[in-house]
Amino acid sequence: MTTRPLVELAKTIRSKNAGVDQITFDIIFPDRASYELVKRSGALTAEVVTRLYAIPRERLTAFVEYDPALAIKFTIRRERPSGSPGERDVFGAQQYAPLFDLPIPIGS
Amino acid sequence: MSDRLTILSPTGHLGFTPIERGSFEIGVARRPDAIVADSGSCDIGPQPLGADERCSPEEWQRHDLELMLLAARGLGVPMIVGSASDTGTDRGVNEYAEIIRDLARQHGLAPFKLATIYSQVSREELARRLENGVHVDGLDGRPRLTTETLARTARLVAVMGVPIIRALDEGADVVIAGRSSDSCLFAAPAIRAGFPEAASYYLGKVLECASFAAEPFMGKESIMGTVTRDTVSVTAMHPGQRCTVASVASHAMYERANPFFEHVAGGALDMTHCRYEQVDEQTARVSGFAFRRDPVYRIKLEGAGKVGERALAIAGIRDPYTIRHIDAVMAWARSKVEDRWGPPGQQYQLYYHVYGRDGVMGPWEPRRALPAHELCLVVEAVAPRFEDAEVICALATRNLFYARLPEVKGTAGTAALMMDEVLRGKAGYEWTVNHVLPLADPLELITVKLEVAGG
């Protein structure tokens, strides 16, 4: 089975605050084919995300496949509200990088 | 009633960085029916609200307000700004109103009606409601608001819905509003003009961040929205940008946990069945939205409280052996702080940000076992008194220099100090309130004032 990293299939991979207690991740595809490929591959699921970010399932508050935007979206509850002492990323804007290398099976 | 209304959106956060003039002027030349911008966000963290400070230079705020004011008065259309001066507190509204009065004088503008809308909520007011048994439910998994949490809160704002309609009804030409739902700023003139709430709120949702709804990625460029009874069209004003089906649809989910619902005071915009189509190269059109009214009118509250004073220092590590043992180095430095101050908790908090290993992602970093060949440590100490935070920060930083590792070769010091200096950071705050308050009347906590400016 050949794989390609998610970053090569997606048009946009981003993260951003969704309010003060959550960070939301958007993975947007350039065309229906690549969107459907990733959706059907089973390589990007709620379980995969919790493993990648090493968080318990209850911290993942949403995982949605959003057909109109050809996008997969998930949301993680923060450890502490944004901007508290000890903050690393006030806007939550740089938390997406580990998604880049996620291997997506593309058939043999 | 006209069959369409157009709104120009020049920026997603007024004053954060200056508006780009070129695409704004292209938009103004198309004679929109209103010019609207949001100036605030909880994205900037709790400090500006807690300390009641702006987060952007006044010069940039003035720059953006001047562009909008002159264009709106030139066209004779309403100008609406919400979440004034980043936080939307009464201070922010007053500062923006003063800038508007000042610009009107400076440019010799003919008289116009200036509305100011206040939505700051006093702690006493909220405490009274809690005592009367009002349930203030937490958002995003937070528990219901308690008097203890309220006591830790320095300042609160209500995120208003569409009281701007009231100001427009009274003839306001320029509206400076306190903290507002971004989308409500744009929805208000559309709802007032008779367009359905669903289309009006979608118009607001898609315009709130200006050029972020277009592609390729550019900040601070203008976009224009047109609402009809059942469609919203959105057009990029920068010649190099396009509003596409993909860019507009993907913006629907921007900054929100769920892509299907946008919650505003009093209800939610339902985007589940939205249809997107390309109209021309720069324009996409959307239809199929709905508005779901809440059975009880509830308004969002944001509140921030002070945690302590903050001190910062910076150290670098280059020795590969020290980098391999960086956790032991930090443990040593922590232990020296604990020898004198006890464990972290009430008296102080101490954080090491290890850039080059997991400084950005912390425990979410999957590559933390592969640190870079040099590390930057930012040491952050928080304590009730700055003098204590400063001492703790110095102790926690200098002991990186003295860490005792069994086989260290460079025995003159185990860290590079960028300077032997502790910096004063802004005070540490936290978001204490992210809750919703039920109201009997949407205007209950809102004050609308009108005056004549210019002339």
Side-chain angles (χ1 to χ4, degrees):
Chain A
M1 179 69 82
T2 320
T3 66
R4 279 176 74 191
L6 183 63
V7 67
E8 287 180 15
L9 295 164
K11 182 165 92 169
T12 300
I13 300 178
R14 67 187 180 193
S15 63
K16 184 75 200 290
N17 288 342
V20 303
D21 292 321
Q22 303 191 99
I23 297 180
T24 194
F25 296 73
D26 302 335
I27 301 130
I28 306 169
F29 296 91
D31 50 61
R32 188 156 296 277
S34 47
Y35 170 64
E36 293 291 342
L37 174 76
V38 174
K39 211 167 107 169
R40 290 204 204 100
S41 71
L44 178 55
T45 63
E47 287 64 36
V48 169
V49 167
T50 54
R51 246 182 290 129
L52 190 61
Y53 286 86
I55 52 160
R57 183 63 182 79
E58 60 270 17
R59 291 254 312 267
L60 186 77
T61 58
F63 187 95
V64 182
E65 289 161 345
Y66 184 44
D67 293 350
L70 307 178
I72 297 173
K73 179 179 181 66
F74 62 88
T75 304
I76 299 178
R77 204 172 63 244
R78 282 171 167 271
E79 242 175 314
R80 277 171 302 200
S82 71
S84 303
E87 177 61 75
R88 299 177 200 93
D89 187 356
V90 177
F91 289 71
Q94 276 289 305
Q95 301 300 315
Y96 56 83
L99 291 163
F100 280 17
D101 297 333
L102 200 66
I104 307 295
I106 55 161
S108 43
Chain B
M1 170 192 148
S2 164
D3 61 352
R4 63 188 53 234
L5 178 105
T6 58
I7 296 183
L8 182 64
S9 171
T11 173
H13 183 163
L14 188 146
F16 196 70
T17 57
I19 291 171
E20 300 288 345
R21 196 180 278 265
S23 62
F24 178 71
E25 281 168 2
I26 292 171
V28 172
R30 295 202 185 183
R31 309 191 71 79
D33 298 307
I35 302 176
V36 182
D38 167 54
S39 176
S41 174
C42 50
D43 271 347
I44 52 179
Q47 189 275 336
L49 175 62
D52 204 7
E53 290 173 5
R54 68 172 88 87
C55 82
S56 306
E58 189 187 344
E59 186 194 335
W60 298 353
Q61 297 179 332
R62 181 176 281 266
H63 168 272
D64 287 5
L65 289 169
E66 184 172 27
L67 274 186
M68 288 177 70
L69 178 68
L70 296 183
R73 296 319 307 135
L75 294 169
V77 300
M79 160 183 172
I80 300 169
V81 172
S83 302
S85 194
D86 310 303
T87 58
T89 57
D90 293 354
R91 183 247 353 135
V93 176
N94 290 333
E95 284 186 11
Y96 273 21
E98 191 47 41
I99 293 174
I100 295 289
R101 290 182 201 111
D102 195 41
L103 288 168
R105 274 192 298 270
Q106 187 192 326
H107 292 281
L109 297 182
F112 59 89
K113 275 195 180 175
L114 168 64
T116 42
I117 308 180
Y118 298 87
S119 69
Q120 191 169 328
V121 182
S122 74
R123 218 161 47 173
E124 295 70 31
E125 172 65 38
L126 200 54
R128 229 180 348 261
R129 287 173 191 243
L130 288 182
E131 278 164 30
N132 290 339
V134 172
H135 288 169
V136 181
D137 289 327
L139 290 167
D140 304 326
R142 287 192 179 217
R144 191 169 280 172
L145 187 64
T146 60
T147 49
E148 291 73 32
T149 302
L150 191 58
R152 292 194 288 117
T153 303
R155 225 165 308 280
L156 291 145
V157 284
V159 184
M160 69 176 92
V162 288
I164 291 152
I165 292 174
R166 167 71 61 92
L168 295 171
D169 280 343
E170 294 185 23
D173 299 299
V174 175
V175 179
I176 300 294
R179 188 74 176 111
S180 323
S181 294
D182 305 4
S183 58
C184 293
L185 299 169
F186 301 85
I191 293 170
R192 181 169 180 271
F195 293 94
E197 281 176 313
S200 302
Y201 282 114
Y202 191 92
L203 177 74
K205 172 64 207 158
V206 74
L207 291 183
E208 65 175 4
C209 285
S211 47
F212 277 15
E215 60 183 324
F217 179 73
M218 292 184 191
K220 302 298 168 185
E221 299 292 353
S222 292
I223 64 169
M224 179 105 87
T226 303
V227 64
T228 69
R229 284 205 64 75
D230 43 24
T231 66
V232 170
S233 304
V234 53
T235 308
M237 293 293 109
H238 187 285
Q241 270 198 312
R242 304 175 309 281
C243 286
T244 65
V245 166
S247 74
V248 172
S250 64
H251 187 71
M253 62 184 168
Y254 186 62
E255 294 181 323
R256 311 168 42 259
N258 182 305
F260 302 117
F261 293 94
E262 165 83 354
H263 293 276
V264 296
L269 173 68
D270 181 348
M271 297 179 277
T272 313
H273 302 293
C274 278
R275 291 179 299 278
Y276 296 84
E277 51 190 322
Q278 200 71 37
V279 177
D280 59 42
E281 209 192 337
Q282 284 188 298
T283 306
R285 182 165 54 209
V286 190
S287 56
F289 24 68
F291 187 72
R292 316 269 175 228
R293 195 176 296 280
D294 291 339
V296 176
Y297 189 92
R298 299 197 300 174
I299 198 164
K300 186 180 163 200
L301 295 172
E302 290 173 357
K306 188 169 171 180
V307 179
E309 300 295 334
R310 217 150 56 104
L312 300 160
I314 302 168
I317 312 277
R318 180 62 182 83
D319 179 339
Y321 174 77
T322 311
I323 289 175
R324 276 200 300 280
H325 296 88
I326 190 65
D327 284 319
V329 170
M330 292 188 294
W332 164 265
R334 272 185 196 285
S335 75
K336 299 319 282 178
V337 173
E338 292 189 20
D339 285 348
R340 300 182 78 88
W341 291 84
Q346 289 291 62
Q347 230 188 331
Y348 75 94
Q349 295 179 40
L350 176 62
Y351 302 95
Y352 289 100
H353 301 266
V354 188
Y355 291 100
R357 186 184 71 170
D358 59 356
V360 173
M361 300 199 58
W364 287 359
E365 178 54 70
R367 292 167 57 92
R368 74 191 297 279
L370 302 166
H373 73 275
E374 71 177 34
L375 300 181
C376 171
L377 270 61
V378 175
V379 185
E380 177 186 7
V382 179
R385 293 178 347 125
F386 177 71
E387 294 71 20
D388 297 336
E390 191 179 27
V391 169
I392 291 164
C393 189
L395 197 56
T397 308
R398 286 190 183 165
N399 273 294
L400 297 171
F401 197 80
Y402 295 124
R404 295 174 190 178
L405 298 176
E407 291 168 42
V408 74
K409 308 253 185 206
T411 52
T414 43
L417 300 184
M418 184 187 150
M419 70 272 157
D420 182 29
E421 186 183 338
V422 169
L423 307 174
R424 183 170 197 147
K426 288 193 172 177
Y429 282 82
E430 65 174 335
W431 291 111
T432 50
V433 180
N434 180 29
H435 288 71
V436 283
L437 173 72
L439 295 179
D441 171 359
L443 290 171
E444 222 173 295
L445 294 171
I446 311 291
T447 307
V448 182
K449 290 186 188 167
L450 270 138
E451 65 185 79
V452 174

